[in-house]
Amino acid sequence: MTDFFRGIPVIAYEGPATDNEFAFRHYDADAIVLGKRMADHLRFSVAYWHAFMWSGMDPFGGVTFDRPWFGDSMDHARMKADAAFEMFAILGMPFFCFHDHDIRPEGTSLAESVARLRQMTDYLQGKMEASGVGLLWGTANLTTNRRYMAGAATNPDPDVFAYAAAMVKACMDATQQLHGANYVLWGGREGYETLLNTDLKRERAQLGRFMQMVVEYKHKSGFAGTILMEPKPQEPAKHQYDYDVATVHSFLKDFGLEHEVKVNIEQGHAVLAGHTFEHEIATAASLGIFGSIDMNRNDYQSGWDTDQFPDSVPEMARAYYEILRAGGFTTGGTNFDAKLRRQSLDAEDLILAHVGAMDVCARSLKAAAALIEDGRLENARAARYAKWDNPENKAMMTHGSLVSISEHVLATGMEPQPLSGRQERLENLWNTFV
Ligand code: XLS
Ligand code: NI
Ligand code: NI
Protein backbone atom coordinates (compact mmCIF):
# COMPACT_ATOMS: atom_id res chain seq x y z
CA MET A 1 0.00 0.00 0.00
CA THR A 2 1.11 3.54 -0.76
CA ASP A 3 -0.64 6.60 0.59
CA PHE A 4 -0.35 8.55 -2.64
CA PHE A 5 -4.08 8.55 -3.36
CA ARG A 6 -5.06 8.79 0.30
CA GLY A 7 -8.49 10.31 0.82
CA ILE A 8 -9.62 9.86 -2.78
CA PRO A 9 -12.82 7.81 -2.93
CA VAL A 10 -13.67 5.04 -5.37
CA ILE A 11 -15.37 6.76 -8.32
CA ALA A 12 -18.99 5.70 -8.82
CA TYR A 13 -21.58 6.59 -11.45
CA GLU A 14 -23.88 9.31 -10.11
CA GLY A 15 -25.41 10.65 -13.33
CA PRO A 16 -25.24 14.01 -15.11
CA ALA A 17 -26.91 15.99 -12.30
CA THR A 18 -24.36 15.26 -9.57
CA ASP A 19 -22.16 18.05 -8.28
CA ASN A 20 -19.62 15.57 -6.90
CA GLU A 21 -16.30 16.07 -8.71
CA PHE A 22 -15.26 12.53 -7.81
CA ALA A 23 -18.08 10.78 -9.68
CA PHE A 24 -18.88 9.67 -13.20
CA ARG A 25 -21.62 11.63 -14.92
CA HIS A 26 -21.82 9.47 -18.03
CA TYR A 27 -19.62 6.39 -17.64
CA ASP A 28 -21.88 3.72 -16.19
CA ALA A 29 -19.89 0.52 -16.72
CA ASP A 30 -22.87 -1.87 -16.59
CA ALA A 31 -25.35 0.24 -18.55
CA ILE A 32 -26.36 -1.44 -21.81
CA VAL A 33 -25.65 0.40 -25.05
CA LEU A 34 -26.58 -1.31 -28.33
CA GLY A 35 -26.92 -4.60 -26.51
CA LYS A 36 -23.53 -4.50 -24.79
CA ARG A 37 -22.16 -3.19 -21.47
CA MET A 38 -20.65 0.25 -21.79
CA ALA A 39 -17.44 -1.07 -20.24
CA ASP A 40 -17.24 -3.78 -22.91
CA HIS A 41 -17.70 -1.23 -25.70
CA LEU A 42 -15.07 1.17 -24.42
CA ARG A 43 -12.50 -1.19 -22.87
CA PHE A 44 -10.67 1.62 -21.06
CA SER A 45 -6.99 1.38 -20.29
CA VAL A 46 -4.44 3.51 -18.40
CA ALA A 47 -1.08 4.19 -20.06
CA TYR A 48 1.50 3.36 -17.40
CA TRP A 49 4.12 5.68 -18.93
CA HIS A 50 2.03 8.84 -18.83
CA ALA A 51 0.29 8.14 -15.55
CA PHE A 52 3.30 6.96 -13.56
CA MET A 53 6.50 7.88 -15.45
CA TRP A 54 5.75 11.37 -16.73
CA SER A 55 7.67 13.89 -14.63
CA GLY A 56 6.47 17.18 -16.09
CA MET A 57 9.77 17.86 -17.87
CA ASP A 58 9.80 20.03 -20.98
CA PRO A 59 12.65 21.42 -23.12
CA PHE A 60 12.73 24.56 -20.94
CA GLY A 61 12.50 23.08 -17.48
CA GLY A 62 12.98 20.01 -15.38
CA VAL A 63 10.84 17.73 -13.28
CA THR A 64 7.73 19.35 -11.79
CA PHE A 65 6.00 16.24 -10.38
CA ASP A 66 7.03 14.77 -7.08
CA ARG A 67 6.17 11.06 -7.03
CA PRO A 68 7.47 8.81 -4.26
CA TRP A 69 8.20 6.03 -6.79
CA PHE A 70 10.57 8.12 -8.93
CA GLY A 71 13.93 6.36 -8.69
CA ASP A 72 15.98 3.60 -10.26
CA SER A 73 15.60 0.73 -7.81
CA MET A 74 13.37 -2.33 -7.94
CA ASP A 75 11.75 -1.07 -4.72
CA HIS A 76 10.70 2.04 -6.60
CA ALA A 77 9.35 -0.13 -9.42
CA ARG A 78 7.24 -2.13 -6.96
CA MET A 79 5.96 1.01 -5.25
CA LYS A 80 4.98 2.38 -8.65
CA ALA A 81 3.06 -0.81 -9.40
CA ASP A 82 1.33 -0.59 -6.01
CA ALA A 83 0.24 2.98 -6.73
CA ALA A 84 -0.86 2.03 -10.24
CA PHE A 85 -3.18 -0.69 -9.01
CA GLU A 86 -4.52 1.64 -6.31
CA MET A 87 -5.44 4.06 -9.08
CA PHE A 88 -7.01 1.32 -11.23
CA ALA A 89 -9.20 0.37 -8.25
CA ILE A 90 -10.29 3.97 -7.66
CA LEU A 91 -11.26 4.33 -11.32
CA GLY A 92 -12.69 0.84 -11.86
CA MET A 93 -10.21 0.62 -14.73
CA PRO A 94 -10.47 -2.69 -16.59
CA PHE A 95 -7.08 -2.55 -18.41
CA PHE A 96 -3.65 -0.97 -18.50
CA CYS A 97 -0.74 -0.85 -20.98
CA PHE A 98 3.01 -0.65 -20.40
CA HIS A 99 6.48 -0.56 -21.95
CA ASP A 100 9.23 -2.65 -20.33
CA HIS A 101 10.89 0.65 -19.48
CA ASP A 102 7.87 1.80 -17.46
CA ILE A 103 7.68 -1.15 -15.10
CA ARG A 104 11.35 -1.87 -14.34
CA PRO A 105 14.61 0.06 -14.24
CA GLU A 106 16.85 -0.82 -17.20
CA GLY A 107 19.84 -2.98 -16.26
CA THR A 108 23.45 -2.59 -17.34
CA SER A 109 23.15 -5.57 -19.71
CA LEU A 110 20.38 -7.19 -21.71
CA ALA A 111 20.43 -10.14 -19.30
CA GLU A 112 19.92 -7.87 -16.28
CA SER A 113 17.16 -5.89 -18.01
CA VAL A 114 15.31 -9.08 -18.94
CA ALA A 115 15.72 -10.56 -15.45
CA ARG A 116 14.22 -7.40 -13.93
CA LEU A 117 11.42 -7.46 -16.47
CA ARG A 118 10.61 -11.04 -15.45
CA GLN A 119 10.57 -10.12 -11.76
CA MET A 120 8.23 -7.22 -12.36
CA THR A 121 6.05 -9.30 -14.68
CA ASP A 122 5.56 -11.77 -11.83
CA TYR A 123 4.80 -8.91 -9.46
CA LEU A 124 2.22 -7.44 -11.84
CA GLN A 125 0.71 -10.86 -12.44
CA GLY A 126 -0.03 -11.20 -8.73
CA LYS A 127 -1.71 -7.80 -8.68
CA MET A 128 -3.71 -8.54 -11.83
CA GLU A 129 -4.96 -11.83 -10.46
CA ALA A 130 -5.96 -10.19 -7.19
CA SER A 131 -7.76 -7.27 -8.83
CA GLY A 132 -9.11 -8.64 -12.11
CA VAL A 133 -7.43 -5.82 -14.05
CA GLY A 134 -6.28 -6.99 -17.50
CA LEU A 135 -3.45 -6.03 -19.83
CA LEU A 136 -4.70 -4.34 -23.02
CA TRP A 137 -1.22 -4.41 -24.50
CA GLY A 138 2.45 -4.59 -23.77
CA THR A 139 5.25 -3.02 -25.78
CA ALA A 140 9.00 -2.41 -25.78
CA ASN A 141 10.52 1.01 -25.35
CA LEU A 142 12.90 1.26 -28.33
CA THR A 143 13.22 5.03 -28.17
CA THR A 144 14.66 6.26 -24.88
CA ASN A 145 18.09 4.62 -24.65
CA ARG A 146 20.72 6.36 -26.79
CA ARG A 147 21.57 3.08 -28.50
CA TYR A 148 18.37 3.57 -30.49
CA MET A 149 19.05 7.13 -31.56
CA ALA A 150 19.40 6.09 -35.23
CA GLY A 151 16.52 3.63 -35.04
CA ALA A 152 15.87 0.16 -33.64
CA ALA A 153 14.88 -2.18 -36.50
CA THR A 154 15.93 0.49 -39.02
CA ASN A 155 19.33 1.16 -37.48
CA PRO A 156 22.36 1.15 -39.81
CA ASP A 157 24.10 -1.00 -37.17
CA PRO A 158 22.89 -4.65 -37.21
CA ASP A 159 23.89 -5.00 -33.54
CA VAL A 160 21.18 -2.50 -32.62
CA PHE A 161 18.66 -4.41 -34.75
CA ALA A 162 19.63 -7.56 -32.84
CA TYR A 163 19.42 -5.88 -29.43
CA ALA A 164 15.98 -4.49 -30.28
CA ALA A 165 14.82 -7.93 -31.45
CA ALA A 166 15.93 -9.44 -28.14
CA MET A 167 14.07 -6.72 -26.20
CA VAL A 168 10.91 -7.25 -28.23
CA LYS A 169 11.06 -11.01 -27.63
CA ALA A 170 11.32 -10.40 -23.87
CA CYS A 171 8.41 -7.94 -23.95
CA MET A 172 6.27 -10.32 -26.01
CA ASP A 173 7.00 -13.02 -23.43
CA ALA A 174 5.94 -10.69 -20.60
CA THR A 175 2.78 -9.71 -22.49
CA GLN A 176 1.92 -13.35 -23.08
CA GLN A 177 2.48 -14.26 -19.43
CA LEU A 178 0.04 -11.49 -18.46
CA HIS A 179 -2.51 -12.61 -21.07
CA GLY A 180 -2.23 -9.31 -22.92
CA ALA A 181 -4.99 -8.80 -25.49
CA ASN A 182 -2.54 -7.19 -27.94
CA TYR A 183 1.12 -6.43 -28.48
CA VAL A 184 1.98 -2.97 -29.89
CA LEU A 185 4.89 -1.70 -31.96
CA TRP A 186 5.21 2.03 -32.34
CA GLY A 187 8.23 2.91 -34.46
CA GLY A 188 9.36 5.90 -32.48
CA ARG A 189 12.84 6.04 -33.95
CA GLU A 190 12.05 4.08 -37.10
CA GLY A 191 12.51 7.00 -39.42
CA TYR A 192 15.21 9.42 -40.45
CA GLU A 193 16.48 12.92 -39.88
CA THR A 194 18.18 13.52 -43.24
CA LEU A 195 18.33 11.66 -46.54
CA LEU A 196 21.99 12.72 -46.79
CA ASN A 197 22.95 9.82 -44.51
CA THR A 198 19.99 7.47 -44.98
CA ASP A 199 19.37 4.44 -47.21
CA LEU A 200 15.60 4.60 -47.09
CA LYS A 201 14.99 1.44 -49.10
CA ARG A 202 17.24 -0.66 -46.89
CA GLU A 203 15.77 0.70 -43.66
CA ARG A 204 12.22 -0.04 -44.77
CA ALA A 205 13.25 -3.59 -45.69
CA GLN A 206 14.82 -4.03 -42.24
CA LEU A 207 11.60 -2.91 -40.58
CA GLY A 208 9.62 -5.30 -42.78
CA ARG A 209 11.81 -8.24 -41.83
CA PHE A 210 11.64 -7.25 -38.16
CA MET A 211 7.83 -7.25 -38.28
CA GLN A 212 7.82 -10.65 -39.99
CA MET A 213 9.97 -11.98 -37.13
CA VAL A 214 7.52 -10.57 -34.59
CA VAL A 215 4.66 -12.38 -36.33
CA GLU A 216 6.71 -15.59 -36.64
CA TYR A 217 7.42 -15.45 -32.92
CA LYS A 218 3.78 -14.81 -32.11
CA HIS A 219 2.88 -18.07 -33.85
CA LYS A 220 5.82 -19.99 -32.40
CA SER A 221 5.13 -18.87 -28.83
CA GLY A 222 1.35 -19.29 -29.12
CA PHE A 223 0.61 -15.70 -28.11
CA ALA A 224 -3.14 -15.33 -28.62
CA GLY A 225 -3.29 -11.53 -28.81
CA THR A 226 -3.24 -9.23 -31.84
CA ILE A 227 -0.05 -7.61 -33.14
CA LEU A 228 -0.63 -3.89 -33.67
CA MET A 229 1.45 -1.19 -35.36
CA GLU A 230 0.88 2.40 -34.25
CA PRO A 231 1.20 4.93 -37.09
CA LYS A 232 2.72 8.37 -36.52
CA PRO A 233 4.02 10.73 -39.21
CA GLN A 234 6.87 12.42 -37.35
CA GLU A 235 8.23 13.13 -33.86
CA PRO A 236 10.69 12.10 -32.69
CA ALA A 237 12.08 11.35 -36.19
CA LYS A 238 11.59 14.03 -38.82
CA HIS A 239 9.99 11.41 -41.04
CA GLN A 240 8.70 8.07 -39.78
CA TYR A 241 8.10 5.02 -41.97
CA ASP A 242 4.72 4.28 -40.38
CA TYR A 243 3.31 7.69 -41.36
CA ASP A 244 -0.42 6.92 -41.25
CA VAL A 245 -2.88 4.04 -41.59
CA ALA A 246 -2.75 3.91 -45.39
CA THR A 247 1.06 3.91 -45.36
CA VAL A 248 1.14 1.11 -42.78
CA HIS A 249 -1.33 -0.92 -44.83
CA SER A 250 0.79 -0.79 -47.97
CA PHE A 251 3.86 -1.58 -45.87
CA LEU A 252 2.11 -4.63 -44.41
CA LYS A 253 1.10 -5.80 -47.88
CA ASP A 254 4.65 -5.48 -49.16
CA PHE A 255 5.81 -7.85 -46.43
CA GLY A 256 2.84 -10.24 -46.54
CA LEU A 257 1.56 -9.14 -43.13
CA GLU A 258 -1.79 -7.52 -43.94
CA HIS A 259 -3.72 -10.41 -42.40
CA GLU A 260 -1.42 -10.67 -39.39
CA VAL A 261 -1.02 -7.12 -38.12
CA LYS A 262 -3.60 -4.44 -37.35
CA VAL A 263 -3.26 -0.82 -36.29
CA ASN A 264 -3.42 1.08 -33.02
CA ILE A 265 -4.65 4.54 -34.00
CA GLU A 266 -3.90 7.61 -31.89
CA GLN A 267 -5.89 10.84 -32.12
CA GLY A 268 -2.81 13.05 -31.86
CA HIS A 269 -0.92 11.10 -34.49
CA ALA A 270 -3.85 11.31 -36.90
CA VAL A 271 -3.91 15.07 -36.46
CA LEU A 272 -0.14 15.34 -36.98
CA ALA A 273 -0.56 13.41 -40.25
CA GLY A 274 -3.09 15.99 -41.45
CA HIS A 275 -6.05 13.66 -40.96
CA THR A 276 -8.90 13.44 -38.51
CA PHE A 277 -9.07 10.64 -35.96
CA GLU A 278 -12.24 9.32 -37.59
CA HIS A 279 -10.60 9.31 -41.02
CA GLU A 280 -7.85 7.04 -39.73
CA ILE A 281 -10.34 4.73 -37.99
CA ALA A 282 -12.60 4.52 -41.05
CA THR A 283 -9.60 3.90 -43.32
CA ALA A 284 -8.36 1.08 -41.11
CA ALA A 285 -11.84 -0.46 -40.91
CA SER A 286 -12.22 -0.30 -44.68
CA LEU A 287 -8.85 -2.04 -45.12
CA GLY A 288 -9.63 -4.69 -42.51
CA ILE A 289 -6.84 -3.65 -40.13
CA PHE A 290 -8.66 -1.74 -37.39
CA GLY A 291 -7.34 -2.85 -34.00
CA SER A 292 -7.31 -0.41 -31.11
CA ILE A 293 -7.13 3.30 -30.23
CA ASP A 294 -4.84 5.53 -28.24
CA MET A 295 -7.26 8.12 -26.94
CA ASN A 296 -5.92 11.62 -26.41
CA ARG A 297 -6.10 15.00 -28.10
CA ASN A 298 -3.61 17.19 -29.81
CA ASP A 299 -3.37 20.89 -29.55
CA TYR A 300 -4.41 22.10 -32.99
CA GLN A 301 -2.00 25.03 -32.99
CA SER A 302 1.22 23.53 -31.65
CA GLY A 303 2.16 21.01 -34.37
CA TRP A 304 3.37 18.69 -31.64
CA ASP A 305 2.08 15.47 -30.06
CA THR A 306 0.77 17.09 -26.89
CA ASP A 307 -1.01 13.96 -25.58
CA GLN A 308 -3.74 15.82 -23.70
CA PHE A 309 -6.78 14.14 -22.23
CA PRO A 310 -9.79 14.29 -24.59
CA ASP A 311 -12.30 17.03 -23.76
CA SER A 312 -14.50 17.28 -26.83
CA VAL A 313 -17.59 15.12 -27.16
CA PRO A 314 -18.43 16.32 -30.71
CA GLU A 315 -14.99 15.21 -31.91
CA MET A 316 -14.78 11.92 -30.05
CA ALA A 317 -18.34 10.99 -31.05
CA ARG A 318 -17.11 10.98 -34.65
CA ALA A 319 -14.44 8.47 -33.65
CA TYR A 320 -16.80 6.16 -31.74
CA TYR A 321 -19.32 6.37 -34.55
CA GLU A 322 -16.74 4.92 -36.93
CA ILE A 323 -15.76 2.30 -34.35
CA LEU A 324 -19.39 1.21 -33.96
CA ARG A 325 -19.82 1.13 -37.75
CA ALA A 326 -16.74 -1.11 -37.88
CA GLY A 327 -18.43 -3.50 -35.44
CA GLY A 328 -16.69 -2.25 -32.29
CA PHE A 329 -13.50 -3.44 -30.64
CA THR A 330 -12.52 -7.09 -30.59
CA THR A 331 -9.14 -7.35 -28.84
CA GLY A 332 -8.64 -3.55 -28.91
CA GLY A 333 -9.80 -0.85 -26.54
CA THR A 334 -9.53 2.80 -25.53
CA ASN A 335 -6.08 3.40 -24.08
CA PHE A 336 -5.60 6.85 -22.53
CA ASP A 337 -2.25 7.72 -24.08
CA ALA A 338 -2.57 11.08 -22.37
CA LYS A 339 -0.58 13.00 -19.81
CA LEU A 340 -1.22 15.77 -17.32
CA ARG A 341 -0.08 19.30 -18.02
CA ARG A 342 3.11 19.99 -16.10
CA GLN A 343 1.37 22.30 -13.61
CA SER A 344 -1.17 19.62 -12.66
CA LEU A 345 0.81 18.37 -9.71
CA ASP A 346 -1.68 16.63 -7.47
CA ALA A 347 -2.85 13.04 -7.12
CA GLU A 348 -6.38 14.42 -7.57
CA ASP A 349 -5.38 15.85 -10.96
CA LEU A 350 -4.29 12.41 -12.16
CA ILE A 351 -7.54 10.78 -11.03
CA LEU A 352 -9.85 13.51 -12.30
CA ALA A 353 -8.09 13.68 -15.67
CA HIS A 354 -9.08 10.06 -16.20
CA VAL A 355 -12.58 10.55 -14.77
CA GLY A 356 -13.23 13.42 -17.17
CA ALA A 357 -11.78 11.55 -20.14
CA MET A 358 -13.84 8.44 -19.36
CA ASP A 359 -16.96 10.60 -19.21
CA VAL A 360 -16.11 12.30 -22.53
CA CYS A 361 -15.72 8.87 -24.14
CA ALA A 362 -18.91 7.53 -22.56
CA ARG A 363 -20.93 10.54 -23.74
CA SER A 364 -19.41 10.20 -27.19
CA LEU A 365 -20.24 6.51 -27.31
CA LYS A 366 -23.84 7.17 -26.23
CA ALA A 367 -24.27 9.87 -28.89
CA ALA A 368 -22.78 7.64 -31.58
CA ALA A 369 -24.96 4.71 -30.53
CA ALA A 370 -28.09 6.90 -30.58
CA LEU A 371 -27.23 7.99 -34.13
CA ILE A 372 -26.84 4.37 -35.19
CA GLU A 373 -30.15 3.44 -33.56
CA ASP A 374 -31.86 6.40 -35.20
CA GLY A 375 -30.68 5.12 -38.57
CA ARG A 376 -31.30 8.26 -40.63
CA LEU A 377 -27.62 8.95 -41.20
CA GLU A 378 -26.91 5.44 -42.47
CA ASN A 379 -30.07 5.50 -44.58
CA ALA A 380 -28.95 8.74 -46.19
CA ARG A 381 -25.54 7.25 -46.91
CA ALA A 382 -27.09 4.12 -48.40
CA ALA A 383 -29.48 6.17 -50.52
CA ARG A 384 -26.55 8.15 -51.94
CA TYR A 385 -25.04 4.97 -53.39
CA ALA A 386 -28.30 3.15 -54.12
CA LYS A 387 -27.94 3.30 -57.90
CA TRP A 388 -24.92 1.04 -57.61
CA ASP A 389 -27.30 -1.75 -56.57
CA ASN A 390 -28.87 -1.87 -60.04
CA PRO A 391 -27.75 -5.07 -61.79
CA GLU A 392 -26.55 -3.06 -64.79
CA ASN A 393 -24.31 -0.88 -62.64
CA LYS A 394 -23.02 -3.85 -60.66
CA ALA A 395 -22.10 -5.50 -63.97
CA MET A 396 -20.14 -2.40 -64.94
CA MET A 397 -17.87 -3.02 -61.94
CA THR A 398 -17.40 -6.72 -62.59
CA HIS A 399 -17.46 -6.99 -66.39
CA GLY A 400 -17.11 -3.46 -67.75
CA SER A 401 -14.24 -2.11 -69.83
CA LEU A 402 -13.58 1.38 -71.09
CA VAL A 403 -14.75 0.18 -74.53
CA SER A 404 -18.00 -1.44 -73.42
CA ILE A 405 -18.82 1.43 -71.06
CA SER A 406 -18.24 4.14 -73.67
CA GLU A 407 -20.41 2.24 -76.16
CA HIS A 408 -23.14 2.06 -73.50
CA VAL A 409 -22.93 5.78 -72.72
CA LEU A 410 -23.12 6.70 -76.42
CA ALA A 411 -26.00 4.30 -77.09
CA THR A 412 -28.15 5.49 -74.16
CA GLY A 413 -27.20 9.16 -74.49
CA MET A 414 -27.04 9.39 -70.69
CA GLU A 415 -26.59 12.84 -69.09
CA PRO A 416 -25.68 12.46 -65.39
CA GLN A 417 -27.39 15.07 -63.20
CA PRO A 418 -25.62 16.22 -59.99
CA LEU A 419 -27.44 15.58 -56.72
CA SER A 420 -27.02 17.42 -53.43
CA GLY A 421 -24.60 15.83 -50.97
CA ARG A 422 -26.78 17.31 -48.19
CA GLN A 423 -23.79 17.88 -45.94
CA GLU A 424 -25.29 20.67 -43.86
CA ARG A 425 -28.55 18.78 -43.41
CA LEU A 426 -26.59 15.75 -42.18
CA GLU A 427 -24.53 17.97 -39.89
CA ASN A 428 -27.76 19.35 -38.46
CA LEU A 429 -28.98 15.83 -37.85
CA TRP A 430 -25.64 14.89 -36.26
CA ASN A 431 -25.76 17.91 -33.99
CA THR A 432 -29.15 17.01 -32.56
CA PHE A 433 -27.44 13.95 -31.04
CA VAL A 434 -24.18 15.34 -29.61
C1 XLS B 1 4.13 8.08 -28.81
C2 XLS B 1 3.31 6.89 -28.81
C3 XLS B 1 3.59 5.90 -27.70
C4 XLS B 1 3.01 4.57 -28.03
C5 XLS B 1 3.57 3.45 -27.24
O1 XLS B 1 3.85 9.06 -29.48
O2 XLS B 1 1.97 7.27 -28.80
O3 XLS B 1 3.09 6.41 -26.50
O4 XLS B 1 1.63 4.58 -27.88
O5 XLS B 1 4.91 3.25 -27.51
NI1 NI C 1 0.34 6.03 -28.56
NI1 NI D 1 1.69 9.48 -29.27
Side-chain angles (χ1 to χ4, degrees):
M1 280 287 284
T2 75
D3 61 3
F4 186 71
F5 296 109
R6 191 187 40 219
I8 301 183
V10 168
I11 310 293
Y13 173 73
E14 293 185 6
T18 185
D19 57 8
N20 178 7
E21 228 187 337
F22 291 88
F24 293 119
R25 284 161 177 70
H26 300 277
Y27 180 61
D28 183 4
D30 293 320
I32 301 296
V33 175
L34 295 177
K36 205 156 108 178
R37 285 174 71 241
M38 209 185 257
D40 297 334
H41 273 289
L42 292 163
R43 293 168 60 82
F44 285 137
S45 158
V46 166
Y48 214 93
W49 53 104
H50 286 316
F52 308 109
M53 295 288 283
W54 167 234
S55 68
M57 254 165 74
D58 75 6
F60 305 94
V63 169
T64 59
F65 295 172
D66 179 20
R67 306 293 195 229
W69 55 82
F70 282 176
D72 278 339
S73 74
M74 288 296 280
D75 282 339
H76 286 108
R78 279 184 287 267
M79 190 199 300
K80 195 194 309 176
D82 293 347
F85 277 77
E86 285 159 17
M87 181 167 113
F88 304 158
I90 289 170
L91 292 168
M93 188 58 64
F95 295 103
F96 70 110
C97 297
F98 67 81
H99 305 79
D100 49 354
H101 187 79
D102 309 327
I103 62 165
R104 59 103 180 91
E106 186 156 356
T108 50
S109 65
L110 179 75
E112 190 181 26
S113 294
V114 172
R116 288 178 175 181
L117 179 64
R118 291 212 179 107
Q119 279 181 52
M120 284 310 299
T121 303
D122 290 343
Y123 193 71
L124 291 176
Q125 187 173 14
K127 293 191 156 288
M128 289 169 69
E129 284 167 3
S131 64
V133 175
L135 180 65
L136 187 65
W137 46 265
T139 187
N141 177 320
L142 304 177
T143 50
T144 302
N145 192 291
R146 66 197 284 274
R147 79 173 70 86
Y148 300 120
M149 69 182 186
T154 60
N155 203 288
D157 180 353
D159 289 355
V160 179
F161 179 102
Y163 206 99
M167 281 292 190
V168 166
K169 180 194 172 290
C171 290
M172 288 178 73
D173 290 343
T175 302
Q176 183 172 6
Q177 182 181 332
L178 300 176
H179 305 288
N182 307 273
Y183 184 84
V184 164
L185 294 107
W186 165 59
R189 305 253 178 223
E190 314 294 22
Y192 64 84
E193 295 301 324
T194 173
L195 277 177
L196 297 181
N197 67 10
T198 301
D199 184 338
L200 187 148
K201 184 173 180 185
R202 183 194 281 271
E203 291 198 0
R204 188 168 177 276
Q206 285 174 212
L207 186 58
R209 184 63 198 124
F210 194 92
M211 287 304 301
Q212 287 172 342
M213 289 181 196
V214 167
V215 168
E216 284 162 18
Y217 188 62
K218 170 193 148 132
H219 291 302
K220 182 175 188 307
S221 65
F223 173 58
T226 310
I227 305 291
L228 302 173
M229 278 181 81
E230 183 175 325
K232 186 172 182 180
Q234 70 269 332
E235 199 232 91
K238 165 159 174 57
H239 186 106
Q240 293 187 206
Y241 296 123
D242 49 7
Y243 193 96
D244 61 1
V245 168
T247 308
V248 167
H249 183 254
S250 73
F251 168 86
L252 293 174
K253 283 197 86 141
D254 277 355
F255 295 94
L257 297 170
E258 71 273 24
H259 302 300
E260 297 281 0
V261 178
K262 293 184 159 62
V263 282
N264 181 41
I265 301 170
E266 179 165 322
Q267 197 274 357
H269 300 184
V271 170
L272 281 179
H275 301 306
T276 60
F277 196 16
E278 62 269 25
H279 165 86
E280 288 290 81
I281 294 166
T283 301
S286 75
L287 296 168
I289 57 168
F290 175 65
S292 199
I293 61 171
D294 270 4
M295 174 56 78
N296 56 24
R297 85 172 196 268
N298 246 14
D299 183 296
Y300 288 108
Q301 283 78 46
S302 73
W304 197 247
D305 192 15
T306 57
D307 289 337
Q308 292 170 252
F309 285 88
D311 72 343
S312 165
V313 175
E315 277 186 67
M316 296 311 153
R318 296 282 175 110
Y320 282 108
Y321 189 77
E322 295 305 327
I323 292 170
L324 290 177
R325 283 187 71 218
F329 294 120
T330 52
T331 60
T334 301
N335 174 46
F336 292 112
D337 197 349
K339 59 178 180 263
L340 294 172
R341 300 305 89 189
R342 72 194 297 266
Q343 299 177 53
S344 304
L345 304 179
D346 301 340
E348 285 82 356
D349 293 319
L350 187 55
I351 297 295
L352 292 176
H354 285 88
V355 169
M358 291 161 84
D359 265 346
V360 165
C361 294
R363 265 176 95 173
S364 305
L365 175 79
K366 283 194 284 187
L371 269 147
I372 299 257
E373 272 177 334
D374 174 79
R376 277 177 285 170
L377 199 55
E378 286 316 306
N379 290 343
R381 190 198 311 269
R384 190 156 182 250
Y385 294 90
K387 266 172 79 181
W388 278 104
D389 292 337
N390 297 347
E392 209 173 69
N393 292 328
K394 277 189 181 159
M396 178 163 68
M397 284 294 273
T398 50
H399 298 92
S401 69
L402 293 189
V403 174
S404 68
I405 292 173
S406 62
E407 280 168 359
H408 176 72
V409 174
L410 288 169
T412 58
M414 70 169 68
E415 280 300 338
Q417 295 303 314
L419 286 176
S420 173
R422 301 184 173 183
Q423 180 170 336
E424 296 78 6
R425 292 168 68 178
L426 297 173
E427 285 167 353
N428 293 351
L429 172 64
W430 178 275
N431 284 332
T432 58
F433 286 83
V434 292

